[in-house]
Amino acid sequence: MAETSITITQPDDWHVHLRDGAMLEQVAGFTARQFGRAIIMPNLTPPVTTVAAAAAYRDRILAATSDYPEFKPLMTAYLTDSIAVDEIHRGFVEGVFTAAKLYPAGATTNSDAGVTDVKKIYPVLEAMQNIGMPLLVHGEVVSNEIDIFDREAVFIERIMQPLLNDMPELKVVFEHITTKDAAEFVAAEGDNIAATITVHHLQINRNDMLVGGIKPHLYCLPVAKRELHRQALRAAATSESGKFFLGTDTAPHAIGAKESACGCAGIFSAPHALENYVQVFEEENALDQFEAFASLNGPAFYGLPVNNKTITLEKQAQQVPVQIGEDDLAISPYRAGETLAWKLVTG
Ligand code: DOR
Ligand code: ZN
């Protein structure tokens, strides 16, 4: 008989964009309502490059999530060509930085200050390898001659593999993987390499974004790929491997910035993240693997305890609002207006 309810250890979200100011106030609760902890991306304007900036941002997040006092934001440093080894090292030792994020310069939203050549930050990466500090990687090359749909696969060959050859002990999370190539690469590497998988990359392929009219709210980076890649991601997420874990990459942008001649990349999936993930696991007949993916594999990789609460999801239809927020803060949530099969009932 089909399951009608599932109770698991409270999950964490290992990849979240919370923004700042009024947008932070508006979106943070959606993440804090469901998750025990979240890895907070540092691509603000200006980016979070110092221990002081991360500590101040953490305080703003805690203020914005005061309705959920147990929620713990885990802060990250934004790596630049000129970032000092000492700043990264000190931030990790002091417990402010949980990890550091590598954005290839120009790869995505607010990545202009990112890294132009990974060799330039080798001293920082060597220090991270020595202290066991995870490197979180946006794995796409930025060269103009590389097709956007090939940018992740080419990144593996040109950047990721050589980096791991040079630093075999570095802990690396290949963020938001979108290809069979990346899933196979991560599975074949040592235990120091893991990956996050978003819910949208498990649910949509590039046809969903482009057939029958362009859907700007399904545009994100890395962009959704062809169906065979989606299938490979579903197999990886539901496999018994401990290397794959939940990371929504929820990335709110105002509707006007998405529905534009040059629309921003990012999908605001936070509001019903767990309901959508559990749907995927149900469709794959893998509900027994859901807890490992959502709640156990991430803490094991980061060397953190699992959460001590549980959450329950029930088979209960609910409708996603068409819009969240008003005016400049209006956002279209992932699957806006659609009916979902599952509902988070406790947490
Ligand atoms: O789609 C995306 N949106 N991908 C990223 O890498 C960044 C994010 C954002 O910050 O909007
Ligand atoms: Zn992201």
Side-chain angles (χ1 to χ4, degrees):
M1 219 190 76
E3 298 286 341
T4 55
S5 165
I6 180 171
T7 297
I8 59 168
T9 301
Q10 185 179 32
D12 304 295
D13 187 342
W14 299 98
H15 189 127
V16 171
H17 298 268
L18 286 184
R19 313 304 190 204
D20 213 343
M23 187 63 98
L24 166 66
E25 299 280 336
Q26 174 168 270
V27 302
F30 291 106
T31 294
R33 184 176 75 86
Q34 298 167 77
F35 298 102
R37 294 163 290 201
I39 284 276
I40 310 299
M41 287 297 132
N43 63 333
L44 303 181
T45 32
V48 179
T49 54
T50 64
V51 183
Y57 186 30
R58 181 176 61 187
D59 289 345
R60 296 196 295 280
I61 295 169
L62 289 172
T65 55
S66 57
D67 288 348
Y68 307 93
E70 287 164 273
F71 174 71
K72 190 162 183 216
L74 303 175
M75 310 310 290
T76 60
Y78 182 114
L79 296 174
T80 67
D81 282 353
S82 59
I83 200 145
V85 176
D86 179 60
E87 192 72 13
I88 298 297
H89 186 273
R90 186 169 65 83
F92 185 69
V93 171
E94 288 179 6
V96 176
F97 292 144
T98 296
K101 178 74 188 273
L102 169 61
Y103 284 108
T108 187
T109 310
N110 293 340
S111 65
D112 291 350
V115 173
T116 60
D117 177 355
V118 84
K119 290 237 154 67
K120 291 193 175 158
I121 58 161
Y122 263 27
V124 176
L125 301 181
E126 274 157 10
M128 290 173 61
Q129 176 174 241
N130 289 338
I131 57 179
M133 180 176 182
L135 176 71
L136 316 184
V137 179
H138 183 110
E140 288 192 287
V141 292
V142 293
S143 327
N144 251 334
E145 79 276 10
I146 307 296
D147 189 276
I148 190 169
F149 292 103
D150 297 333
R151 288 179 172 201
E152 184 173 281
V154 173
F155 185 90
I156 297 172
E157 171 194 319
R158 289 197 188 168
I159 317 277
M160 191 69 111
Q161 187 71 73
L163 171 63
L164 295 175
N165 291 346
D166 288 345
M167 296 200 207
E169 307 290 319
L170 185 63
K171 280 177 91 159
V172 174
V173 182
F174 200 151
E175 297 289 340
H176 43 51
I177 58 168
T178 61
T179 57
K180 183 167 189 270
D181 313 61
E184 287 175 352
F185 174 80
V186 169
E189 287 293 316
D191 285 345
N192 54 319
I193 313 304
T196 51
I197 307 182
T198 75
V199 74
H200 49 277
H201 290 114
L202 294 169
Q203 290 188 314
I204 64 165
N205 62 27
R206 63 197 200 179
N207 278 13
D208 294 301
M209 180 179 58
L210 295 170
V211 173
I214 191 161
K215 317 290 187 317
H217 297 290
L218 296 183
Y219 173 61
C220 65
L221 288 169
V223 71
K225 308 294 192 297
R226 60 171 69 236
E227 177 64 5
L228 76 88
H229 296 292
R230 187 180 76 102
Q231 291 300 336
L233 298 176
R234 287 169 81 102
T238 57
S239 72
E240 283 175 23
S241 167
K243 286 168 157 277
F244 301 100
F245 42 85
L246 186 160
T248 60
D249 197 16
T250 178
H253 290 278
I255 289 175
K258 296 282 295 172
E259 297 176 7
S260 149
C262 185
C264 293
I267 295 178
F268 180 52
S269 59
H272 300 95
L274 287 177
E275 286 97 333
N276 281 309
Y277 273 115
V278 77
Q279 165 100 49
V280 169
F281 278 72
E282 183 189 31
E283 287 163 3
E284 296 293 318
N285 288 317
L287 283 176
D288 55 338
Q289 291 299 325
F290 185 50
E291 183 176 46
F293 176 80
S295 316
L296 310 181
N297 297 346
F301 182 83
Y302 275 89
L304 296 170
V306 303
N307 293 315
N308 48 31
K309 274 178 43 175
T310 60
I311 57 106
T312 298
L313 290 143
E314 277 178 9
K315 210 68 187 288
Q316 195 180 309
Q318 64 167 323
Q319 217 186 349
V320 180
V322 179
Q323 181 181 314
I324 285 167
E326 300 294 330
D327 305 322
D328 286 358
L329 291 176
I331 321 169
S332 177
Y334 178 54
R335 302 191 62 189
E338 291 183 41
T339 302
L340 308 181
W342 289 81
K343 190 167 198 275
L344 178 67
V345 292
T346 60

